mmCIF file of all heavy atoms in Angstrom:
data_model
loop_
_atom_site.group_PDB
_atom_site.id
_atom_site.type_symbol
_atom_site.label_atom_id
_atom_site.label_comp_id
_atom_site.label_asym_id
_atom_site.label_seq_id
_atom_site.Cartn_x
_atom_site.Cartn_y
_atom_site.Cartn_z
ATOM 1 N N PHE A 1 -13.687 -206.041 -137.383
ATOM 2 C CA PHE A 1 -14.305 -205.242 -138.475
ATOM 3 C C PHE A 1 -14.007 -203.790 -138.417
ATOM 4 O O PHE A 1 -13.759 -203.221 -137.436
ATOM 5 C CB PHE A 1 -15.894 -205.392 -138.287
ATOM 6 C CG PHE A 1 -16.362 -206.813 -138.706
ATOM 7 C CD1 PHE A 1 -16.502 -207.760 -137.800
ATOM 8 C CD2 PHE A 1 -16.757 -207.082 -140.007
ATOM 9 C CE1 PHE A 1 -17.012 -209.094 -138.124
ATOM 10 C CE2 PHE A 1 -17.252 -208.221 -140.426
ATOM 11 C CZ PHE A 1 -17.317 -209.353 -139.437
ATOM 12 N N SER A 2 -14.135 -203.128 -139.420
ATOM 13 C CA SER A 2 -13.812 -201.698 -139.630
ATOM 14 C C SER A 2 -14.722 -200.814 -138.887
ATOM 15 O O SER A 2 -14.364 -199.847 -138.471
ATOM 16 C CB SER A 2 -13.855 -201.345 -141.228
ATOM 17 O OG SER A 2 -15.084 -201.658 -141.684
ATOM 18 N N THR A 3 -15.988 -201.486 -138.562
ATOM 19 C CA THR A 3 -16.874 -200.701 -137.782
ATOM 20 C C THR A 3 -16.753 -200.867 -136.266
ATOM 21 O O THR A 3 -17.331 -200.090 -135.460
ATOM 22 C CB THR A 3 -18.347 -201.071 -138.175
ATOM 23 O OG1 THR A 3 -18.425 -202.492 -138.041
ATOM 24 C CG2 THR A 3 -18.750 -200.754 -139.529
ATOM 25 N N ASP A 4 -15.797 -201.716 -135.887
ATOM 26 C CA ASP A 4 -15.522 -202.014 -134.407
ATOM 27 C C ASP A 4 -14.427 -201.073 -133.948
ATOM 28 O O ASP A 4 -13.555 -200.822 -134.654
ATOM 29 C CB ASP A 4 -15.139 -203.459 -134.263
ATOM 30 C CG ASP A 4 -16.027 -204.504 -134.477
ATOM 31 O OD1 ASP A 4 -17.329 -204.235 -134.408
ATOM 32 O OD2 ASP A 4 -15.708 -205.592 -134.858
ATOM 33 N N THR A 5 -14.652 -200.660 -132.723
ATOM 34 C CA THR A 5 -13.591 -199.685 -132.080
ATOM 35 C C THR A 5 -12.637 -200.612 -131.359
ATOM 36 O O THR A 5 -11.512 -200.151 -131.199
ATOM 37 C CB THR A 5 -14.286 -198.674 -131.144
ATOM 38 O OG1 THR A 5 -15.111 -199.359 -130.124
ATOM 39 C CG2 THR A 5 -15.120 -197.754 -131.957
ATOM 40 N N GLN A 6 -13.053 -201.709 -130.761
ATOM 41 C CA GLN A 6 -12.234 -202.595 -130.186
ATOM 42 C C GLN A 6 -12.722 -203.988 -130.250
ATOM 43 O O GLN A 6 -13.851 -204.252 -130.516
ATOM 44 C CB GLN A 6 -12.066 -202.220 -128.591
ATOM 45 C CG GLN A 6 -13.278 -202.340 -127.823
ATOM 46 C CD GLN A 6 -13.297 -201.669 -126.483
ATOM 47 O OE1 GLN A 6 -12.611 -200.610 -126.295
ATOM 48 N NE2 GLN A 6 -13.722 -202.351 -125.455
ATOM 49 N N VAL A 7 -11.836 -204.938 -129.899
ATOM 50 C CA VAL A 7 -12.314 -206.466 -129.978
ATOM 51 C C VAL A 7 -11.424 -207.101 -128.884
ATOM 52 O O VAL A 7 -10.338 -206.772 -128.641
ATOM 53 C CB VAL A 7 -12.077 -207.089 -131.307
ATOM 54 C CG1 VAL A 7 -10.687 -207.134 -131.685
ATOM 55 C CG2 VAL A 7 -12.710 -208.405 -131.341
ATOM 56 N N THR A 8 -12.077 -208.068 -128.172
ATOM 57 C CA THR A 8 -11.416 -208.900 -127.213
ATOM 58 C C THR A 8 -10.888 -210.155 -127.699
ATOM 59 O O THR A 8 -11.635 -210.869 -128.395
ATOM 60 C CB THR A 8 -12.355 -209.079 -126.034
ATOM 61 O OG1 THR A 8 -12.871 -207.772 -125.496
ATOM 62 C CG2 THR A 8 -11.635 -209.846 -124.905
ATOM 63 N N CYS A 9 -9.701 -210.588 -127.490
ATOM 64 C CA CYS A 9 -9.073 -211.831 -127.893
ATOM 65 C C CYS A 9 -9.926 -212.938 -127.259
ATOM 66 O O CYS A 9 -10.001 -212.934 -126.002
ATOM 67 C CB CYS A 9 -7.633 -211.838 -127.556
ATOM 68 S SG CYS A 9 -6.835 -213.393 -127.902
ATOM 69 N N GLU A 10 -10.375 -213.846 -128.113
ATOM 70 C CA GLU A 10 -11.171 -215.023 -127.548
ATOM 71 C C GLU A 10 -10.349 -215.856 -126.679
ATOM 72 O O GLU A 10 -10.721 -216.596 -125.899
ATOM 73 C CB GLU A 10 -11.773 -215.722 -128.570
ATOM 74 C CG GLU A 10 -12.910 -214.895 -129.401
ATOM 75 C CD GLU A 10 -13.558 -215.591 -130.455
ATOM 76 O OE1 GLU A 10 -13.384 -216.875 -130.599
ATOM 77 O OE2 GLU A 10 -14.498 -215.050 -131.173
ATOM 78 N N LYS A 11 -9.025 -215.945 -126.943
ATOM 79 C CA LYS A 11 -8.097 -216.821 -126.316
ATOM 80 C C LYS A 11 -7.693 -216.391 -124.931
ATOM 81 O O LYS A 11 -7.674 -217.016 -123.849
ATOM 82 C CB LYS A 11 -6.864 -217.143 -127.219
ATOM 83 C CG LYS A 11 -5.960 -218.192 -126.606
ATOM 84 C CD LYS A 11 -4.989 -218.727 -127.438
ATOM 85 C CE LYS A 11 -4.031 -219.762 -126.827
ATOM 86 N NZ LYS A 11 -2.992 -220.142 -127.664
ATOM 87 N N CYS A 12 -7.193 -215.063 -124.924
ATOM 88 C CA CYS A 12 -6.609 -214.546 -123.528
ATOM 89 C C CYS A 12 -7.371 -213.382 -122.931
ATOM 90 O O CYS A 12 -7.061 -213.048 -121.860
ATOM 91 C CB CYS A 12 -5.016 -214.243 -123.806
ATOM 92 S SG CYS A 12 -4.936 -212.786 -124.769
ATOM 93 N N GLY A 13 -8.349 -212.709 -123.685
ATOM 94 C CA GLY A 13 -9.008 -211.650 -123.145
ATOM 95 C C GLY A 13 -8.435 -210.312 -123.371
ATOM 96 O O GLY A 13 -8.970 -209.303 -122.889
ATOM 97 N N PHE A 14 -7.335 -210.289 -124.013
ATOM 98 C CA PHE A 14 -6.603 -208.963 -124.341
ATOM 99 C C PHE A 14 -7.556 -208.164 -125.119
ATOM 100 O O PHE A 14 -8.169 -208.615 -126.068
ATOM 101 C CB PHE A 14 -5.368 -209.194 -124.992
ATOM 102 C CG PHE A 14 -4.561 -207.856 -125.308
ATOM 103 C CD1 PHE A 14 -3.810 -207.344 -124.357
ATOM 104 C CD2 PHE A 14 -4.621 -207.299 -126.482
ATOM 105 C CE1 PHE A 14 -3.081 -206.121 -124.546
ATOM 106 C CE2 PHE A 14 -3.981 -206.155 -126.780
ATOM 107 C CZ PHE A 14 -3.113 -205.587 -125.842
ATOM 108 N N VAL A 15 -7.680 -206.829 -124.853
ATOM 109 C CA VAL A 15 -8.513 -205.898 -125.602
ATOM 110 C C VAL A 15 -7.693 -205.147 -126.608
ATOM 111 O O VAL A 15 -6.753 -204.449 -126.295
ATOM 112 C CB VAL A 15 -9.237 -204.911 -124.792
ATOM 113 C CG1 VAL A 15 -10.102 -203.852 -125.565
ATOM 114 C CG2 VAL A 15 -10.209 -205.607 -123.781
ATOM 115 N N ALA A 16 -7.905 -205.361 -127.973
ATOM 116 C CA ALA A 16 -7.142 -204.757 -129.085
ATOM 117 C C ALA A 16 -8.027 -203.664 -129.607
ATOM 118 O O ALA A 16 -9.329 -203.873 -129.709
ATOM 119 C CB ALA A 16 -6.763 -205.751 -130.116
ATOM 120 N N TYR A 17 -7.409 -202.480 -129.934
ATOM 121 C CA TYR A 17 -8.165 -201.383 -130.504
ATOM 122 C C TYR A 17 -7.964 -201.293 -131.922
ATOM 123 O O TYR A 17 -6.942 -201.628 -132.465
ATOM 124 C CB TYR A 17 -7.777 -200.123 -129.771
ATOM 125 C CG TYR A 17 -8.149 -200.058 -128.299
ATOM 126 C CD1 TYR A 17 -7.166 -200.492 -127.319
ATOM 127 C CD2 TYR A 17 -9.217 -199.600 -127.929
ATOM 128 C CE1 TYR A 17 -7.474 -200.600 -126.029
ATOM 129 C CE2 TYR A 17 -9.678 -199.657 -126.573
ATOM 130 C CZ TYR A 17 -8.815 -200.178 -125.575
ATOM 131 O OH TYR A 17 -9.123 -200.102 -124.300
ATOM 132 N N ASN A 18 -9.028 -200.854 -132.630
ATOM 133 C CA ASN A 18 -9.012 -200.688 -134.043
ATOM 134 C C ASN A 18 -8.340 -199.373 -134.383
ATOM 135 O O ASN A 18 -8.916 -198.279 -134.050
ATOM 136 C CB ASN A 18 -10.427 -200.876 -134.606
ATOM 137 C CG ASN A 18 -10.420 -200.820 -136.153
ATOM 138 O OD1 ASN A 18 -9.454 -200.466 -136.874
ATOM 139 N ND2 ASN A 18 -11.582 -201.006 -136.725
ATOM 140 N N ASP A 19 -7.198 -199.232 -134.991
ATOM 141 C CA ASP A 19 -6.547 -198.036 -135.185
ATOM 142 C C ASP A 19 -6.782 -197.593 -136.701
ATOM 143 O O ASP A 19 -6.049 -196.735 -137.158
ATOM 144 C CB ASP A 19 -5.025 -198.070 -134.846
ATOM 145 C CG ASP A 19 -4.394 -199.233 -135.501
ATOM 146 O OD1 ASP A 19 -4.994 -200.096 -136.143
ATOM 147 O OD2 ASP A 19 -3.144 -199.334 -135.214
ATOM 148 N N SER A 20 -7.659 -198.313 -137.389
ATOM 149 C CA SER A 20 -8.095 -197.818 -138.684
ATOM 150 C C SER A 20 -8.974 -196.497 -138.680
ATOM 151 O O SER A 20 -9.585 -196.264 -137.690
ATOM 152 C CB SER A 20 -8.863 -198.934 -139.404
ATOM 153 O OG SER A 20 -8.058 -200.144 -139.456
ATOM 154 N N LEU A 21 -8.953 -195.807 -139.805
ATOM 155 C CA LEU A 21 -9.716 -194.699 -139.867
ATOM 156 C C LEU A 21 -11.233 -194.925 -139.846
ATOM 157 O O LEU A 21 -11.702 -195.756 -140.638
ATOM 158 C CB LEU A 21 -9.324 -193.897 -141.122
ATOM 159 C CG LEU A 21 -7.967 -193.393 -141.181
ATOM 160 C CD1 LEU A 21 -7.823 -192.653 -142.595
ATOM 161 C CD2 LEU A 21 -7.632 -192.385 -140.215
ATOM 162 N N SER A 22 -11.985 -194.117 -139.165
ATOM 163 C CA SER A 22 -13.481 -194.184 -139.146
ATOM 164 C C SER A 22 -13.884 -193.177 -140.148
ATOM 165 O O SER A 22 -13.013 -192.209 -140.473
ATOM 166 C CB SER A 22 -14.027 -193.986 -137.824
ATOM 167 O OG SER A 22 -13.971 -192.598 -137.445
ATOM 168 N N CYS A 23 -15.063 -193.249 -140.602
ATOM 169 C CA CYS A 23 -15.519 -192.280 -141.477
ATOM 170 C C CYS A 23 -15.534 -190.810 -141.009
ATOM 171 O O CYS A 23 -15.373 -189.900 -141.768
ATOM 172 C CB CYS A 23 -16.992 -192.609 -141.931
ATOM 173 S SG CYS A 23 -18.328 -192.503 -140.572
ATOM 174 N N VAL A 24 -15.650 -190.587 -139.645
ATOM 175 C CA VAL A 24 -15.614 -189.348 -139.080
ATOM 176 C C VAL A 24 -14.188 -188.756 -139.418
ATOM 177 O O VAL A 24 -14.026 -187.492 -139.576
ATOM 178 C CB VAL A 24 -15.841 -189.250 -137.492
ATOM 179 C CG1 VAL A 24 -15.626 -187.953 -137.050
ATOM 180 C CG2 VAL A 24 -17.258 -189.691 -137.391
ATOM 181 N N GLN A 25 -13.115 -189.548 -139.471
ATOM 182 C CA GLN A 25 -11.850 -189.128 -139.708
ATOM 183 C C GLN A 25 -11.549 -188.767 -141.201
ATOM 184 O O GLN A 25 -10.648 -187.974 -141.449
ATOM 185 C CB GLN A 25 -10.801 -190.160 -139.241
ATOM 186 C CG GLN A 25 -10.770 -190.348 -137.718
ATOM 187 C CD GLN A 25 -10.130 -191.475 -137.257
ATOM 188 O OE1 GLN A 25 -10.429 -192.631 -137.478
ATOM 189 N NE2 GLN A 25 -8.909 -191.243 -136.625
ATOM 190 N N TRP A 26 -12.261 -189.288 -142.079
ATOM 191 C CA TRP A 26 -11.882 -189.124 -143.624
ATOM 192 C C TRP A 26 -12.971 -188.349 -144.322
ATOM 193 O O TRP A 26 -12.716 -187.771 -145.427
ATOM 194 C CB TRP A 26 -11.520 -190.410 -144.245
ATOM 195 C CG TRP A 26 -12.602 -191.460 -144.252
ATOM 196 C CD1 TRP A 26 -12.657 -192.573 -143.335
ATOM 197 C CD2 TRP A 26 -13.732 -191.616 -145.134
ATOM 198 N NE1 TRP A 26 -13.716 -193.364 -143.734
ATOM 199 C CE2 TRP A 26 -14.386 -192.799 -144.743
ATOM 200 C CE3 TRP A 26 -14.264 -190.800 -146.082
ATOM 201 C CZ2 TRP A 26 -15.663 -193.187 -145.299
ATOM 202 C CZ3 TRP A 26 -15.443 -191.252 -146.723
ATOM 203 C CH2 TRP A 26 -16.102 -192.329 -146.319
ATOM 204 N N CYS A 27 -14.253 -188.375 -143.856
ATOM 205 C CA CYS A 27 -15.343 -187.826 -144.606
ATOM 206 C C CYS A 27 -15.422 -186.341 -144.617
ATOM 207 O O CYS A 27 -15.412 -185.767 -143.308
ATOM 208 C CB CYS A 27 -16.607 -188.522 -144.254
ATOM 209 S SG CYS A 27 -18.069 -187.830 -145.158
ATOM 210 N N LYS A 28 -15.495 -185.650 -145.687
ATOM 211 C CA LYS A 28 -15.605 -184.197 -145.527
ATOM 212 C C LYS A 28 -16.909 -183.574 -144.955
ATOM 213 O O LYS A 28 -17.092 -182.502 -144.624
ATOM 214 C CB LYS A 28 -15.317 -183.567 -146.842
ATOM 215 C CG LYS A 28 -16.332 -183.838 -147.968
ATOM 216 C CD LYS A 28 -15.910 -183.177 -149.211
ATOM 217 C CE LYS A 28 -16.960 -183.533 -150.313
ATOM 218 N NZ LYS A 28 -16.573 -182.806 -151.594
ATOM 219 N N TYR A 29 -17.928 -184.538 -144.850
ATOM 220 C CA TYR A 29 -19.209 -184.215 -144.393
ATOM 221 C C TYR A 29 -19.431 -184.507 -143.016
ATOM 222 O O TYR A 29 -20.452 -184.439 -142.371
ATOM 223 C CB TYR A 29 -20.242 -184.772 -145.266
ATOM 224 C CG TYR A 29 -20.224 -184.543 -146.689
ATOM 225 C CD1 TYR A 29 -19.753 -185.310 -147.745
ATOM 226 C CD2 TYR A 29 -20.793 -183.262 -147.152
ATOM 227 C CE1 TYR A 29 -19.740 -184.850 -148.989
ATOM 228 C CE2 TYR A 29 -20.731 -182.902 -148.558
ATOM 229 C CZ TYR A 29 -20.273 -183.818 -149.457
ATOM 230 O OH TYR A 29 -20.178 -183.344 -150.761
ATOM 231 N N ALA A 30 -18.398 -185.162 -142.370
ATOM 232 C CA ALA A 30 -18.570 -185.669 -140.952
ATOM 233 C C ALA A 30 -19.126 -184.717 -139.934
ATOM 234 O O ALA A 30 -19.953 -185.006 -139.191
ATOM 235 C CB ALA A 30 -17.288 -186.268 -140.500
ATOM 236 N N ARG A 31 -18.611 -183.487 -139.934
ATOM 237 C CA ARG A 31 -19.013 -182.508 -138.975
ATOM 238 C C ARG A 31 -20.467 -182.082 -139.186
ATOM 239 O O ARG A 31 -21.312 -182.081 -138.145
ATOM 240 C CB ARG A 31 -18.116 -181.168 -138.981
ATOM 241 C CG ARG A 31 -18.429 -180.281 -137.876
ATOM 242 C CD ARG A 31 -17.560 -179.087 -137.973
ATOM 243 N NE ARG A 31 -16.214 -179.297 -137.626
ATOM 244 C CZ ARG A 31 -15.719 -179.253 -136.351
ATOM 245 N NH1 ARG A 31 -16.535 -179.117 -135.304
ATOM 246 N NH2 ARG A 31 -14.420 -179.528 -136.089
ATOM 247 N N LYS A 32 -20.921 -182.002 -140.410
ATOM 248 C CA LYS A 32 -22.292 -181.750 -140.758
ATOM 249 C C LYS A 32 -23.199 -182.874 -140.426
ATOM 250 O O LYS A 32 -24.286 -182.832 -139.972
ATOM 251 C CB LYS A 32 -22.460 -181.263 -142.225
ATOM 252 C CG LYS A 32 -21.991 -180.025 -142.639
ATOM 253 C CD LYS A 32 -22.304 -179.669 -144.071
ATOM 254 C CE LYS A 32 -21.786 -178.405 -144.394
ATOM 255 N NZ LYS A 32 -21.978 -178.156 -145.798
ATOM 256 N N CYS A 33 -22.596 -184.086 -140.638
ATOM 257 C CA CYS A 33 -23.437 -185.286 -140.465
ATOM 258 C C CYS A 33 -23.727 -185.657 -139.031
ATOM 259 O O CYS A 33 -24.926 -185.987 -138.589
ATOM 260 C CB CYS A 33 -22.584 -186.540 -141.116
ATOM 261 S SG CYS A 33 -23.485 -188.153 -141.018
ATOM 262 N N VAL A 34 -22.721 -185.528 -138.021
ATOM 263 C CA VAL A 34 -22.923 -185.825 -136.657
ATOM 264 C C VAL A 34 -23.079 -184.715 -135.787
ATOM 265 O O VAL A 34 -23.382 -184.835 -134.603
ATOM 266 C CB VAL A 34 -21.816 -186.783 -136.195
ATOM 267 C CG1 VAL A 34 -21.810 -188.122 -136.932
ATOM 268 C CG2 VAL A 34 -20.459 -186.097 -136.149
ATOM 269 N N GLY A 35 -22.773 -183.407 -136.224
ATOM 270 C CA GLY A 35 -22.857 -182.297 -135.461
ATOM 271 C C GLY A 35 -21.474 -181.899 -134.878
ATOM 272 O O GLY A 35 -20.715 -182.786 -134.610
ATOM 273 N N ASP A 36 -21.385 -180.599 -134.408
ATOM 274 C CA ASP A 36 -20.091 -180.152 -133.884
ATOM 275 C C ASP A 36 -19.611 -180.905 -132.645
ATOM 276 O O ASP A 36 -18.422 -181.352 -132.606
ATOM 277 C CB ASP A 36 -20.176 -178.682 -133.730
ATOM 278 C CG ASP A 36 -20.072 -177.872 -134.931
ATOM 279 O OD1 ASP A 36 -19.677 -178.214 -135.941
ATOM 280 O OD2 ASP A 36 -20.674 -176.748 -134.899
ATOM 281 N N GLU A 37 -20.513 -180.953 -131.611
ATOM 282 C CA GLU A 37 -20.163 -181.496 -130.413
ATOM 283 C C GLU A 37 -19.821 -183.046 -130.560
ATOM 284 O O GLU A 37 -18.631 -183.515 -130.028
ATOM 285 C CB GLU A 37 -21.321 -181.479 -129.426
ATOM 286 C CG GLU A 37 -21.053 -181.901 -128.007
ATOM 287 C CD GLU A 37 -22.193 -181.597 -127.107
ATOM 288 O OE1 GLU A 37 -22.978 -180.789 -127.211
ATOM 289 O OE2 GLU A 37 -22.146 -182.367 -125.990
ATOM 290 N N MET A 38 -20.501 -183.794 -131.261
ATOM 291 C CA MET A 38 -20.318 -185.256 -131.419
ATOM 292 C C MET A 38 -19.010 -185.367 -132.315
ATOM 293 O O MET A 38 -18.206 -186.353 -131.990
ATOM 294 C CB MET A 38 -21.403 -185.968 -132.096
ATOM 295 C CG MET A 38 -21.303 -187.333 -132.307
ATOM 296 S SD MET A 38 -21.031 -188.288 -130.759
ATOM 297 C CE MET A 38 -22.662 -188.400 -130.244
ATOM 298 N N TYR A 39 -18.794 -184.572 -133.282
ATOM 299 C CA TYR A 39 -17.637 -184.631 -134.075
ATOM 300 C C TYR A 39 -16.447 -184.468 -133.252
ATOM 301 O O TYR A 39 -15.459 -185.251 -133.327
ATOM 302 C CB TYR A 39 -17.692 -183.507 -135.140
ATOM 303 C CG TYR A 39 -16.438 -183.570 -136.090
ATOM 304 C CD1 TYR A 39 -16.309 -184.368 -137.179
ATOM 305 C CD2 TYR A 39 -15.409 -182.566 -135.782
ATOM 306 C CE1 TYR A 39 -15.123 -184.375 -137.935
ATOM 307 C CE2 TYR A 39 -14.306 -182.553 -136.552
ATOM 308 C CZ TYR A 39 -14.173 -183.400 -137.635
ATOM 309 O OH TYR A 39 -12.986 -183.471 -138.526
ATOM 310 N N GLU A 40 -16.392 -183.490 -132.429
ATOM 311 C CA GLU A 40 -15.209 -183.261 -131.583
ATOM 312 C C GLU A 40 -15.040 -184.415 -130.572
ATOM 313 O O GLU A 40 -13.922 -184.879 -130.427
ATOM 314 C CB GLU A 40 -15.411 -181.825 -130.796
ATOM 315 C CG GLU A 40 -15.446 -180.656 -131.554
ATOM 316 C CD GLU A 40 -14.144 -180.373 -132.398
ATOM 317 O OE1 GLU A 40 -13.056 -181.030 -131.898
ATOM 318 O OE2 GLU A 40 -14.179 -179.890 -133.489
ATOM 319 N N HIS A 41 -16.113 -184.901 -130.057
ATOM 320 C CA HIS A 41 -16.096 -186.043 -129.143
ATOM 321 C C HIS A 41 -15.511 -187.155 -129.807
ATOM 322 O O HIS A 41 -14.633 -188.010 -129.345
ATOM 323 C CB HIS A 41 -17.403 -186.351 -128.528
ATOM 324 C CG HIS A 41 -17.440 -187.540 -127.630
ATOM 325 N ND1 HIS A 41 -16.769 -187.457 -126.315
ATOM 326 C CD2 HIS A 41 -18.042 -188.742 -127.751
ATOM 327 C CE1 HIS A 41 -17.014 -188.693 -125.823
ATOM 328 N NE2 HIS A 41 -17.724 -189.414 -126.632
ATOM 329 N N MET A 42 -15.902 -187.612 -131.046
ATOM 330 C CA MET A 42 -15.507 -188.808 -131.765
ATOM 331 C C MET A 42 -14.112 -188.628 -132.228
ATOM 332 O O MET A 42 -13.308 -189.538 -132.307
ATOM 333 C CB MET A 42 -16.419 -188.991 -133.028
ATOM 334 C CG MET A 42 -17.777 -189.424 -132.581
ATOM 335 S SD MET A 42 -18.958 -189.602 -133.956
ATOM 336 C CE MET A 42 -18.319 -191.231 -134.612
ATOM 337 N N MET A 43 -13.557 -187.366 -132.561
ATOM 338 C CA MET A 43 -12.239 -187.218 -133.046
ATOM 339 C C MET A 43 -11.272 -187.398 -131.727
ATOM 340 O O MET A 43 -10.142 -187.879 -131.855
ATOM 341 C CB MET A 43 -11.973 -185.778 -133.684
ATOM 342 C CG MET A 43 -12.713 -185.596 -134.981
ATOM 343 S SD MET A 43 -12.116 -186.841 -136.157
ATOM 344 C CE MET A 43 -10.553 -186.040 -136.578
ATOM 345 N N GLU A 44 -11.723 -186.965 -130.491
ATOM 346 C CA GLU A 44 -11.035 -187.183 -129.331
ATOM 347 C C GLU A 44 -10.777 -188.570 -129.018
ATOM 348 O O GLU A 44 -9.702 -189.054 -128.681
ATOM 349 C CB GLU A 44 -11.695 -186.446 -128.164
ATOM 350 C CG GLU A 44 -10.913 -186.505 -126.896
ATOM 351 C CD GLU A 44 -11.663 -185.795 -125.815
ATOM 352 O OE1 GLU A 44 -12.247 -184.750 -125.984
ATOM 353 O OE2 GLU A 44 -11.594 -186.294 -124.542
ATOM 354 N N ILE A 45 -11.920 -189.353 -129.292
ATOM 355 C CA ILE A 45 -11.809 -190.886 -129.026
ATOM 356 C C ILE A 45 -10.832 -191.436 -130.010
ATOM 357 O O ILE A 45 -9.939 -192.231 -129.677
ATOM 358 C CB ILE A 45 -13.187 -191.478 -129.170
ATOM 359 C CG1 ILE A 45 -14.016 -191.031 -127.913
ATOM 360 C CG2 ILE A 45 -13.027 -193.049 -129.269
ATOM 361 C CD1 ILE A 45 -15.546 -191.447 -128.145
ATOM 362 N N ALA A 46 -10.856 -191.028 -131.281
ATOM 363 C CA ALA A 46 -9.954 -191.582 -132.312
ATOM 364 C C ALA A 46 -8.591 -191.190 -131.928
ATOM 365 O O ALA A 46 -7.659 -192.112 -132.087
ATOM 366 C CB ALA A 46 -10.325 -190.973 -133.593
ATOM 367 N N ALA A 47 -8.241 -190.052 -131.421
ATOM 368 C CA ALA A 47 -6.964 -189.783 -131.081
ATOM 369 C C ALA A 47 -6.441 -190.608 -129.840
ATOM 370 O O ALA A 47 -5.253 -191.053 -129.819
ATOM 371 C CB ALA A 47 -6.869 -188.275 -130.729
#
């Protein structure tokens, strides 16, 4: 799902990461919405 950051393969257990954009990456209000510290943290995780 677009809201998942990762998912585990049910067959072999491999962890696949969601490399799609989260709202923090595209929304112009993201920094105001989540605050400076959380915004920076989330952008680091996305990178």
